[in-house]
Amino acid sequence: MIPVSIQLRQALGKLVLPLLVLLSLAILIAGQANRKLADRARMYTTDILSPFWSLVSIGQERAVAITHNLQEAGQLAQENARLKAENENLRRWYDVAVSLTRENDSLKTALHWIPEPAPAFVTGRVVADSGGIYTRAVLLVAGTDSGVQVGNIALAANGLAGRVTETGTHSARILLITDIASRLPVMLEASQAPAIMVGDNSPMPRLMYYAQDTRPVEGERVVTSDQAGAFPAGLPIGTVHYVAEGRPVVAPFAQLDHLSLLRVFNFGRSQVEPPDAPGHVPLAPPHKSLDLPFKNLLGQE
């Protein structure tokens, strides 16, 4: 190693920056004077340095991956503790559900419970409704050839969606519970108080005509009522929510703006006929002689 004095080192240190500046200016001037040569030199330099850049990028990616794995490993202990607590809670609820199921089965056996027949249903794909007199309605790709009838109940994955109002051979129109023409009796599940749910073309239909002494409670579940005979009792609809003081609405369980599939159930409500009252006498058919004057008026023999 050649010995260099301190003064010379200081002088060389002061000259480094001006020399680099001059070299940069010379490269810029040479690049402007002969661009083809500058481009070839730049590409040649890039080809030489590309393996080193690849090594640097690979090392950077591995460093990021290792850091991410270390962060996840640090969170595993907390996640494991949370999952253990959640699993223990679910295990307790599972034991409660099994106990209630057994108790329910024993009570049904003791009471000689007669279950209702399982309703028939079909599942169809939902398409956008481009026509019709309703604002909030959808078309279902299933019609009378699939057994769909007017009055059938449409259920989404989470709750009630609407009711079939029109049918075709291969399609059916379903009026959603949020449409302004929708009116259906409901039951407030906690208080067992009846009410009427009225659609107004907004995402959440209103609750009306409920008893003043049993006002809806925030978060209370709302289910269907069989008072009018159009819907079976107990179908989940949503929960009570107050948009303002004294203005309860129902937040539907079903995502009515993002429907893709619907199940259409035939509960056969019209097939349930009450028995005849005691002492009921069936009406006799009208006498043939009494029909003659009316037939003569109609020009029939």
Side-chain angles (χ1 to χ4, degrees), residues 229-270:
F231 289 85
L235 297 179
I237 300 176
T239 56
V240 176
H241 174 64
Y242 279 88
V243 294
E245 183 66 26
R247 291 184 57 190
V249 298
V250 178
F253 290 134
Q255 297 181 354
L256 302 178
D257 293 335
H258 301 85
L259 294 174
S260 58
L261 293 175
L262 281 178
R263 292 175 296 169
V264 178
F265 287 82
N266 183 8
F267 287 95
R269 308 298 294 176
S270 60

mmCIF file of all heavy atoms in Angstrom, residues 229-270:
data_model
loop_
_atom_site.group_PDB
_atom_site.id
_atom_site.type_symbol
_atom_site.label_atom_id
_atom_site.label_comp_id
_atom_site.label_asym_id
_atom_site.label_seq_id
_atom_site.Cartn_x
_atom_site.Cartn_y
_atom_site.Cartn_z
ATOM 1 N N GLY A 229 -103.877 -15.755 6.999
ATOM 2 C CA GLY A 229 -103.881 -17.007 6.276
ATOM 3 C C GLY A 229 -103.024 -17.019 5.039
ATOM 4 O O GLY A 229 -102.963 -18.032 4.343
ATOM 5 N N ALA A 230 -102.340 -15.921 4.731
ATOM 6 C CA ALA A 230 -101.514 -15.869 3.526
ATOM 7 C C ALA A 230 -100.116 -16.401 3.773
ATOM 8 O O ALA A 230 -99.488 -16.957 2.871
ATOM 9 C CB ALA A 230 -101.434 -14.436 3.003
ATOM 10 N N PHE A 231 -99.598 -16.225 4.986
ATOM 11 C CA PHE A 231 -98.262 -16.665 5.332
ATOM 12 C C PHE A 231 -98.336 -17.632 6.505
ATOM 13 O O PHE A 231 -99.170 -17.462 7.405
ATOM 14 C CB PHE A 231 -97.369 -15.471 5.728
ATOM 15 C CG PHE A 231 -96.981 -14.586 4.583
ATOM 16 C CD1 PHE A 231 -97.823 -13.576 4.160
ATOM 17 C CD2 PHE A 231 -95.775 -14.757 3.931
ATOM 18 C CE1 PHE A 231 -97.475 -12.755 3.108
ATOM 19 C CE2 PHE A 231 -95.409 -13.945 2.880
ATOM 20 C CZ PHE A 231 -96.265 -12.943 2.462
ATOM 21 N N PRO A 232 -97.459 -18.618 6.541
ATOM 22 C CA PRO A 232 -97.359 -19.446 7.741
ATOM 23 C C PRO A 232 -96.676 -18.674 8.862
ATOM 24 O O PRO A 232 -95.950 -17.711 8.615
ATOM 25 C CB PRO A 232 -96.511 -20.638 7.268
ATOM 26 C CG PRO A 232 -95.709 -20.095 6.137
ATOM 27 C CD PRO A 232 -96.579 -19.079 5.456
ATOM 28 N N ALA A 233 -96.918 -19.068 10.078
ATOM 29 C CA ALA A 233 -96.353 -18.362 11.222
ATOM 30 C C ALA A 233 -94.903 -18.763 11.431
ATOM 31 O O ALA A 233 -94.511 -19.903 11.196
ATOM 32 C CB ALA A 233 -97.170 -18.663 12.474
ATOM 33 N N GLY A 234 -94.111 -17.782 11.871
ATOM 34 C CA GLY A 234 -92.753 -18.074 12.313
ATOM 35 C C GLY A 234 -91.661 -17.920 11.296
ATOM 36 O O GLY A 234 -90.499 -18.193 11.617
ATOM 37 N N LEU A 235 -91.956 -17.482 10.062
ATOM 38 C CA LEU A 235 -90.882 -17.285 9.093
ATOM 39 C C LEU A 235 -90.071 -16.044 9.466
ATOM 40 O O LEU A 235 -90.639 -14.970 9.686
ATOM 41 C CB LEU A 235 -91.448 -17.123 7.678
ATOM 42 C CG LEU A 235 -92.213 -18.319 7.106
ATOM 43 C CD1 LEU A 235 -92.718 -17.983 5.717
ATOM 44 C CD2 LEU A 235 -91.349 -19.555 7.086
ATOM 45 N N PRO A 236 -88.752 -16.144 9.554
ATOM 46 C CA PRO A 236 -87.950 -14.974 9.963
ATOM 47 C C PRO A 236 -87.948 -13.884 8.895
ATOM 48 O O PRO A 236 -87.816 -14.159 7.707
ATOM 49 C CB PRO A 236 -86.548 -15.567 10.168
ATOM 50 C CG PRO A 236 -86.517 -16.768 9.291
ATOM 51 C CD PRO A 236 -87.914 -17.333 9.288
ATOM 52 N N ILE A 237 -88.096 -12.644 9.372
ATOM 53 C CA ILE A 237 -88.104 -11.498 8.455
ATOM 54 C C ILE A 237 -86.911 -10.586 8.729
ATOM 55 O O ILE A 237 -86.149 -10.262 7.827
ATOM 56 C CB ILE A 237 -89.418 -10.699 8.582
ATOM 57 C CG1 ILE A 237 -90.622 -11.578 8.256
ATOM 58 C CG2 ILE A 237 -89.386 -9.489 7.664
ATOM 59 C CD1 ILE A 237 -91.946 -10.886 8.450
ATOM 60 N N GLY A 238 -86.762 -10.143 9.982
ATOM 61 C CA GLY A 238 -85.675 -9.225 10.310
ATOM 62 C C GLY A 238 -85.756 -8.801 11.759
ATOM 63 O O GLY A 238 -86.389 -9.465 12.593
ATOM 64 N N THR A 239 -85.140 -7.675 12.056
ATOM 65 C CA THR A 239 -85.119 -7.127 13.410
ATOM 66 C C THR A 239 -85.623 -5.695 13.399
ATOM 67 O O THR A 239 -85.536 -4.990 12.380
ATOM 68 C CB THR A 239 -83.698 -7.156 13.998
ATOM 69 O OG1 THR A 239 -82.801 -6.457 13.114
ATOM 70 C CG2 THR A 239 -83.205 -8.590 14.159
ATOM 71 N N VAL A 240 -86.136 -5.262 14.548
ATOM 72 C CA VAL A 240 -86.670 -3.909 14.693
ATOM 73 C C VAL A 240 -85.516 -2.912 14.808
ATOM 74 O O VAL A 240 -84.520 -3.156 15.504
ATOM 75 C CB VAL A 240 -87.574 -3.824 15.940
ATOM 76 C CG1 VAL A 240 -88.054 -2.384 16.145
ATOM 77 C CG2 VAL A 240 -88.759 -4.766 15.793
ATOM 78 N N HIS A 241 -85.678 -1.799 14.100
ATOM 79 C CA HIS A 241 -84.707 -0.710 14.179
ATOM 80 C C HIS A 241 -85.456 0.613 14.110
ATOM 81 O O HIS A 241 -86.383 0.768 13.311
ATOM 82 C CB HIS A 241 -83.694 -0.801 13.038
ATOM 83 C CG HIS A 241 -82.749 0.357 12.981
ATOM 84 N ND1 HIS A 241 -81.835 0.631 13.988
ATOM 85 C CD2 HIS A 241 -82.582 1.333 12.050
ATOM 86 C CE1 HIS A 241 -81.146 1.704 13.671
ATOM 87 N NE2 HIS A 241 -81.591 2.146 12.505
ATOM 88 N N TYR A 242 -85.060 1.554 14.952
ATOM 89 C CA TYR A 242 -85.698 2.876 14.987
ATOM 90 C C TYR A 242 -84.846 3.859 14.195
ATOM 91 O O TYR A 242 -83.703 4.156 14.558
ATOM 92 C CB TYR A 242 -85.857 3.361 16.426
ATOM 93 C CG TYR A 242 -87.066 2.782 17.129
ATOM 94 C CD1 TYR A 242 -86.980 1.562 17.800
ATOM 95 C CD2 TYR A 242 -88.290 3.442 17.126
ATOM 96 C CE1 TYR A 242 -88.086 1.021 18.446
ATOM 97 C CE2 TYR A 242 -89.394 2.917 17.761
ATOM 98 C CZ TYR A 242 -89.290 1.702 18.424
ATOM 99 O OH TYR A 242 -90.392 1.173 19.057
ATOM 100 N N VAL A 243 -85.405 4.359 13.095
ATOM 101 C CA VAL A 243 -84.723 5.392 12.321
ATOM 102 C C VAL A 243 -84.934 6.765 12.932
ATOM 103 O O VAL A 243 -84.163 7.693 12.666
ATOM 104 C CB VAL A 243 -85.213 5.380 10.860
ATOM 105 C CG1 VAL A 243 -84.810 4.088 10.180
ATOM 106 C CG2 VAL A 243 -86.722 5.561 10.776
ATOM 107 N N ALA A 244 -85.971 6.913 13.726
ATOM 108 C CA ALA A 244 -86.262 8.146 14.441
ATOM 109 C C ALA A 244 -87.192 7.796 15.602
ATOM 110 O O ALA A 244 -87.658 6.658 15.740
ATOM 111 C CB ALA A 244 -86.907 9.191 13.521
ATOM 112 N N GLU A 245 -87.449 8.752 16.443
ATOM 113 C CA GLU A 245 -88.332 8.527 17.582
ATOM 114 C C GLU A 245 -89.745 8.225 17.092
ATOM 115 O O GLU A 245 -90.366 8.999 16.370
ATOM 116 C CB GLU A 245 -88.350 9.779 18.469
ATOM 117 C CG GLU A 245 -89.192 9.630 19.718
ATOM 118 C CD GLU A 245 -88.635 8.619 20.691
ATOM 119 O OE1 GLU A 245 -87.397 8.391 20.668
ATOM 120 O OE2 GLU A 245 -89.420 8.058 21.489
ATOM 121 N N GLY A 246 -90.254 7.052 17.496
ATOM 122 C CA GLY A 246 -91.597 6.652 17.108
ATOM 123 C C GLY A 246 -91.718 6.152 15.684
ATOM 124 O O GLY A 246 -92.837 6.020 15.187
ATOM 125 N N ARG A 247 -90.595 5.844 15.011
ATOM 126 C CA ARG A 247 -90.635 5.348 13.632
ATOM 127 C C ARG A 247 -89.862 4.033 13.541
ATOM 128 O O ARG A 247 -88.716 3.997 13.109
ATOM 129 C CB ARG A 247 -90.049 6.372 12.664
ATOM 130 C CG ARG A 247 -90.886 7.636 12.495
ATOM 131 C CD ARG A 247 -90.265 8.534 11.456
ATOM 132 N NE ARG A 247 -90.113 7.857 10.170
ATOM 133 C CZ ARG A 247 -89.419 8.348 9.141
ATOM 134 N NH1 ARG A 247 -88.801 9.524 9.264
ATOM 135 N NH2 ARG A 247 -89.331 7.674 8.002
ATOM 136 N N PRO A 248 -90.494 2.949 13.961
ATOM 137 C CA PRO A 248 -89.801 1.651 13.872
ATOM 138 C C PRO A 248 -89.872 1.087 12.462
ATOM 139 O O PRO A 248 -90.890 1.192 11.772
ATOM 140 C CB PRO A 248 -90.585 0.778 14.858
ATOM 141 C CG PRO A 248 -91.974 1.364 14.848
ATOM 142 C CD PRO A 248 -91.805 2.851 14.641
ATOM 143 N N VAL A 249 -88.785 0.501 12.029
ATOM 144 C CA VAL A 249 -88.715 -0.182 10.747
ATOM 145 C C VAL A 249 -88.146 -1.575 10.982
ATOM 146 O O VAL A 249 -87.712 -1.903 12.083
ATOM 147 C CB VAL A 249 -87.849 0.594 9.728
ATOM 148 C CG1 VAL A 249 -88.453 1.954 9.432
ATOM 149 C CG2 VAL A 249 -86.423 0.746 10.239
ATOM 150 N N VAL A 250 -88.147 -2.368 9.930
ATOM 151 C CA VAL A 250 -87.627 -3.732 10.008
ATOM 152 C C VAL A 250 -86.398 -3.824 9.109
ATOM 153 O O VAL A 250 -86.476 -3.528 7.912
ATOM 154 C CB VAL A 250 -88.686 -4.765 9.575
ATOM 155 C CG1 VAL A 250 -88.095 -6.173 9.627
ATOM 156 C CG2 VAL A 250 -89.909 -4.677 10.464
ATOM 157 N N ALA A 251 -85.274 -4.206 9.703
ATOM 158 C CA ALA A 251 -84.060 -4.464 8.932
ATOM 159 C C ALA A 251 -84.088 -5.921 8.484
ATOM 160 O O ALA A 251 -83.921 -6.827 9.301
ATOM 161 C CB ALA A 251 -82.812 -4.191 9.771
ATOM 162 N N PRO A 252 -84.334 -6.194 7.202
ATOM 163 C CA PRO A 252 -84.503 -7.589 6.762
ATOM 164 C C PRO A 252 -83.234 -8.405 6.930
ATOM 165 O O PRO A 252 -82.112 -7.898 6.791
ATOM 166 C CB PRO A 252 -84.878 -7.455 5.286
ATOM 167 C CG PRO A 252 -85.327 -6.038 5.113
ATOM 168 C CD PRO A 252 -84.533 -5.243 6.092
ATOM 169 N N PHE A 253 -83.428 -9.692 7.249
ATOM 170 C CA PHE A 253 -82.298 -10.609 7.281
ATOM 171 C C PHE A 253 -81.767 -10.862 5.867
ATOM 172 O O PHE A 253 -80.561 -10.976 5.664
ATOM 173 C CB PHE A 253 -82.719 -11.941 7.912
ATOM 174 C CG PHE A 253 -82.992 -11.849 9.387
ATOM 175 C CD1 PHE A 253 -84.132 -12.435 9.922
ATOM 176 C CD2 PHE A 253 -82.132 -11.193 10.235
ATOM 177 C CE1 PHE A 253 -84.385 -12.370 11.276
ATOM 178 C CE2 PHE A 253 -82.378 -11.104 11.590
ATOM 179 C CZ PHE A 253 -83.513 -11.698 12.121
ATOM 180 N N ALA A 254 -82.663 -10.967 4.902
ATOM 181 C CA ALA A 254 -82.267 -11.259 3.525
ATOM 182 C C ALA A 254 -81.678 -10.011 2.866
ATOM 183 O O ALA A 254 -82.163 -8.895 3.075
ATOM 184 C CB ALA A 254 -83.468 -11.756 2.718
ATOM 185 N N GLN A 255 -80.631 -10.199 2.087
ATOM 186 C CA GLN A 255 -80.029 -9.109 1.322
ATOM 187 C C GLN A 255 -80.796 -8.956 0.008
ATOM 188 O O GLN A 255 -80.434 -9.537 -1.024
ATOM 189 C CB GLN A 255 -78.554 -9.395 1.070
ATOM 190 C CG GLN A 255 -77.723 -9.486 2.343
ATOM 191 C CD GLN A 255 -76.257 -9.750 2.059
ATOM 192 O OE1 GLN A 255 -75.851 -9.971 0.921
ATOM 193 N NE2 GLN A 255 -75.456 -9.745 3.094
ATOM 194 N N LEU A 256 -81.859 -8.170 0.059
ATOM 195 C CA LEU A 256 -82.779 -8.088 -1.069
ATOM 196 C C LEU A 256 -82.186 -7.381 -2.271
ATOM 197 O O LEU A 256 -82.708 -7.509 -3.380
ATOM 198 C CB LEU A 256 -84.062 -7.382 -0.620
ATOM 199 C CG LEU A 256 -84.802 -8.052 0.547
ATOM 200 C CD1 LEU A 256 -86.024 -7.241 0.936
ATOM 201 C CD2 LEU A 256 -85.208 -9.476 0.177
ATOM 202 N N ASP A 257 -81.118 -6.633 -2.089
ATOM 203 C CA ASP A 257 -80.482 -5.955 -3.217
ATOM 204 C C ASP A 257 -79.456 -6.841 -3.920
ATOM 205 O O ASP A 257 -78.945 -6.454 -4.976
ATOM 206 C CB ASP A 257 -79.791 -4.670 -2.746
ATOM 207 C CG ASP A 257 -80.792 -3.628 -2.265
ATOM 208 O OD1 ASP A 257 -81.952 -3.692 -2.721
ATOM 209 O OD2 ASP A 257 -80.425 -2.782 -1.434
ATOM 210 N N HIS A 258 -79.144 -7.997 -3.346
ATOM 211 C CA HIS A 258 -78.136 -8.878 -3.934
ATOM 212 C C HIS A 258 -78.653 -10.321 -3.947
ATOM 213 O O HIS A 258 -77.988 -11.243 -3.471
ATOM 214 C CB HIS A 258 -76.820 -8.798 -3.154
ATOM 215 C CG HIS A 258 -76.234 -7.427 -3.090
ATOM 216 N ND1 HIS A 258 -76.608 -6.494 -2.127
ATOM 217 C CD2 HIS A 258 -75.322 -6.803 -3.874
ATOM 218 C CE1 HIS A 258 -75.933 -5.380 -2.315
ATOM 219 N NE2 HIS A 258 -75.151 -5.536 -3.369
ATOM 220 N N LEU A 259 -79.852 -10.499 -4.498
ATOM 221 C CA LEU A 259 -80.434 -11.832 -4.570
ATOM 222 C C LEU A 259 -79.903 -12.561 -5.802
ATOM 223 O O LEU A 259 -79.881 -12.005 -6.902
ATOM 224 C CB LEU A 259 -81.956 -11.749 -4.636
ATOM 225 C CG LEU A 259 -82.663 -11.197 -3.394
ATOM 226 C CD1 LEU A 259 -84.150 -11.030 -3.656
ATOM 227 C CD2 LEU A 259 -82.445 -12.107 -2.197
ATOM 228 N N SER A 260 -79.481 -13.793 -5.607
ATOM 229 C CA SER A 260 -79.026 -14.618 -6.730
ATOM 230 C C SER A 260 -79.859 -15.882 -6.867
ATOM 231 O O SER A 260 -80.149 -16.312 -7.977
ATOM 232 C CB SER A 260 -77.548 -14.981 -6.557
ATOM 233 O OG SER A 260 -77.349 -15.672 -5.328
ATOM 234 N N LEU A 261 -80.251 -16.483 -5.739
ATOM 235 C CA LEU A 261 -81.081 -17.676 -5.735
ATOM 236 C C LEU A 261 -82.211 -17.492 -4.730
ATOM 237 O O LEU A 261 -82.030 -16.865 -3.682
ATOM 238 C CB LEU A 261 -80.260 -18.921 -5.359
ATOM 239 C CG LEU A 261 -79.189 -19.390 -6.349
ATOM 240 C CD1 LEU A 261 -78.405 -20.553 -5.753
ATOM 241 C CD2 LEU A 261 -79.813 -19.808 -7.669
ATOM 242 N N LEU A 262 -83.380 -18.026 -5.059
ATOM 243 C CA LEU A 262 -84.530 -17.982 -4.162
ATOM 244 C C LEU A 262 -85.201 -19.351 -4.145
ATOM 245 O O LEU A 262 -85.267 -20.037 -5.169
ATOM 246 C CB LEU A 262 -85.540 -16.915 -4.602
ATOM 247 C CG LEU A 262 -85.231 -15.463 -4.245
ATOM 248 C CD1 LEU A 262 -86.310 -14.544 -4.787
ATOM 249 C CD2 LEU A 262 -85.097 -15.277 -2.744
ATOM 250 N N ARG A 263 -85.685 -19.717 -2.974
ATOM 251 C CA ARG A 263 -86.485 -20.929 -2.836
ATOM 252 C C ARG A 263 -87.951 -20.530 -2.730
ATOM 253 O O ARG A 263 -88.300 -19.689 -1.900
ATOM 254 C CB ARG A 263 -86.066 -21.724 -1.607
ATOM 255 C CG ARG A 263 -84.680 -22.348 -1.704
ATOM 256 C CD ARG A 263 -84.307 -23.018 -0.401
ATOM 257 N NE ARG A 263 -84.213 -22.044 0.674
ATOM 258 C CZ ARG A 263 -84.106 -22.366 1.968
ATOM 259 N NH1 ARG A 263 -84.114 -23.633 2.332
ATOM 260 N NH2 ARG A 263 -84.014 -21.434 2.877
ATOM 261 N N VAL A 264 -88.784 -21.118 -3.542
ATOM 262 C CA VAL A 264 -90.213 -20.812 -3.574
ATOM 263 C C VAL A 264 -90.948 -21.997 -2.953
ATOM 264 O O VAL A 264 -90.895 -23.114 -3.467
ATOM 265 C CB VAL A 264 -90.698 -20.545 -5.006
ATOM 266 C CG1 VAL A 264 -92.189 -20.289 -5.024
ATOM 267 C CG2 VAL A 264 -89.951 -19.356 -5.602
ATOM 268 N N PHE A 265 -91.625 -21.735 -1.824
ATOM 269 C CA PHE A 265 -92.304 -22.779 -1.065
ATOM 270 C C PHE A 265 -93.802 -22.717 -1.316
ATOM 271 O O PHE A 265 -94.399 -21.631 -1.386
ATOM 272 C CB PHE A 265 -92.043 -22.612 0.433
ATOM 273 C CG PHE A 265 -90.654 -22.995 0.849
ATOM 274 C CD1 PHE A 265 -89.607 -22.109 0.702
ATOM 275 C CD2 PHE A 265 -90.398 -24.240 1.393
ATOM 276 C CE1 PHE A 265 -88.325 -22.451 1.084
ATOM 277 C CE2 PHE A 265 -89.118 -24.591 1.782
ATOM 278 C CZ PHE A 265 -88.082 -23.696 1.630
ATOM 279 N N ASN A 266 -94.401 -23.871 -1.412
ATOM 280 C CA ASN A 266 -95.851 -24.002 -1.493
ATOM 281 C C ASN A 266 -96.332 -24.579 -0.167
ATOM 282 O O ASN A 266 -96.301 -25.795 0.053
ATOM 283 C CB ASN A 266 -96.246 -24.905 -2.657
ATOM 284 C CG ASN A 266 -97.750 -25.001 -2.823
ATOM 285 O OD1 ASN A 266 -98.516 -24.286 -2.161
ATOM 286 N ND2 ASN A 266 -98.192 -25.871 -3.695
ATOM 287 N N PHE A 267 -96.756 -23.702 0.751
ATOM 288 C CA PHE A 267 -97.204 -24.139 2.062
ATOM 289 C C PHE A 267 -98.628 -24.669 2.055
ATOM 290 O O PHE A 267 -99.096 -25.164 3.072
ATOM 291 C CB PHE A 267 -97.086 -22.991 3.073
ATOM 292 C CG PHE A 267 -95.667 -22.686 3.457
ATOM 293 C CD1 PHE A 267 -94.955 -21.694 2.809
ATOM 294 C CD2 PHE A 267 -95.037 -23.390 4.471
ATOM 295 C CE1 PHE A 267 -93.646 -21.402 3.151
ATOM 296 C CE2 PHE A 267 -93.734 -23.111 4.831
ATOM 297 C CZ PHE A 267 -93.036 -22.121 4.165
ATOM 298 N N GLY A 268 -99.324 -24.518 0.924
ATOM 299 C CA GLY A 268 -100.660 -25.076 0.820
ATOM 300 C C GLY A 268 -101.638 -24.508 1.827
ATOM 301 O O GLY A 268 -102.459 -25.231 2.383
ATOM 302 N N ARG A 269 -101.573 -23.194 2.051
ATOM 303 C CA ARG A 269 -102.462 -22.591 3.051
ATOM 304 C C ARG A 269 -103.922 -22.655 2.609
ATOM 305 O O ARG A 269 -104.828 -22.780 3.417
ATOM 306 C CB ARG A 269 -102.074 -21.137 3.300
ATOM 307 C CG ARG A 269 -100.615 -20.920 3.639
ATOM 308 C CD ARG A 269 -100.227 -21.614 4.918
ATOM 309 N NE ARG A 269 -100.909 -21.016 6.064
ATOM 310 C CZ ARG A 269 -100.808 -21.476 7.308
ATOM 311 N NH1 ARG A 269 -100.093 -22.565 7.559
ATOM 312 N NH2 ARG A 269 -101.438 -20.885 8.308
ATOM 313 N N SER A 270 -104.157 -22.583 1.294
ATOM 314 C CA SER A 270 -105.541 -22.594 0.822
ATOM 315 C C SER A 270 -106.177 -23.972 0.932
ATOM 316 O O SER A 270 -107.388 -24.108 0.839
ATOM 317 C CB SER A 270 -105.595 -22.116 -0.633
ATOM 318 O OG SER A 270 -104.813 -22.971 -1.456
#
